Amino acid sequence: MSQELIQQDPWASLKAFTTARIALGRTGTAIPLREVLNFRLAHAHARDAVYSALAVNALQEQLHSFYLPVLLLHSKAADRYEYLQRPDKGRQLDAESITALRAADEAFLQKDVVIILADGLSATAMNVHTQPLLEVLIPLLKGAGLSLAPICMVQQGRVASGDEVGDILQAKVTLMLIGERPGLSAADSMGAYITYGAKPGTTDEARNCISNIRQEGLQYEAAGRKILYLIQEALRLRLTGVGLKDNAGLLE
């Protein structure tokens, strides 16, 4: 379609500051064909992300560089279709995973932090962002003198699946890194959920969440420092959730 037929939106200059769908312009009373096609492409990327799978072998190779044991776990959801239809099963570990955690060496127990990786609703996000975020975060955690449990990777996992991990390993704080529900401008967004004293039955008001970790959102260095700050505050106050405010960077 000729560019002359598209009436530009007066907000067009704001497109330089966001990937949100603003200032699309119009052709008569319709959205320009280019924007319709872009929308359909974004929708396809979001659907692909929901059905994507953790690149388990590649992630294991990447995690070797952090010199931490890695435990492979699975939720009660047998496959992706059951995961999407039965959210409750994604929140619970299967029997084999619980047995493996309970058999863990005593040296793995009672650490300050356990890092848990789960596919969530976008394994794409985990496959892309796990290594670069941990390259920032793990040195920060170790530099702060915090002890780390083995990294746990949960396939077909939701946020609450990390509560069983933290409870069995007796970790003070659980850090769940998980693929977030894809949007139509971000199919690869990672979220970080921080929970103090996690146990089965913990509800969301007892967690702190850092969202939109990706190169076009909250970048790795900023995300790593924010996670460290909240973990240190959680350990100091012995709580997370609505009682833990993010006061980093505020004037005294």
Side-chain angles (χ1 to χ4, degrees), residues 41-69:
L41 179 62
H43 186 260
H45 285 320
R47 287 179 59 87
D48 287 345
V50 168
Y51 286 97
S52 60
L54 279 177
V56 175
N57 292 336
L59 285 171
Q60 281 185 291
E61 286 295 321
Q62 295 169 7
L63 294 174
H64 286 163
S65 64
F66 302 114
Y67 301 102
L68 288 170

Side-chain angles (χ1 to χ4, degrees), residues 19-153:
T19 57
R21 282 184 167 73
I22 63 169
L24 301 182
R26 61 187 175 89
T27 303
T29 59
I31 297 173
L33 177 60
R34 177 189 61 221
E35 299 299 341
V36 173
L37 295 177
N38 286 340
F39 179 89
R40 290 180 178 177
L41 179 62
H43 186 260
H45 285 320
R47 287 179 59 87
D48 287 345
V50 168
Y51 286 97
S52 60
L54 279 177
V56 175
N57 292 336
L59 285 171
Q60 281 185 291
E61 286 295 321
Q62 295 169 7
L63 294 174
H64 286 163
S65 64
F66 302 114
Y67 301 102
L68 288 170
V70 177
L71 301 179
L72 296 181
L73 309 173
H74 205 290
S75 76
K76 285 185 177 179
D79 53 39
R80 201 61 181 168
Y81 298 100
E82 186 171 40
Y83 174 87
L84 294 173
Q85 294 171 4
R86 292 288 304 273
D88 57 312
K89 289 194 173 184
R91 298 185 185 109
Q92 304 171 67
L93 297 178
D94 63 16
E96 291 81 2
S97 298
I98 290 176
T99 298
L101 287 170
R102 288 177 174 165
D105 192 292
E106 287 189 7
F108 297 163
L109 305 181
Q110 299 181 333
K111 300 298 186 182
D112 292 321
V113 183
V114 57
I115 298 171
I116 306 159
L117 314 175
D119 37 16
L121 288 169
S122 176
T124 299
M126 302 305 296
N127 296 337
V128 172
H129 303 307
T130 295
Q131 182 180 22
L133 175 62
L134 292 184
E135 284 178 348
V136 172
L137 179 60
I138 288 180
L140 287 175
L141 295 173
K142 290 183 175 179
L146 301 179
S147 58
L148 302 180
I151 297 174
C152 296
M153 191 185 310

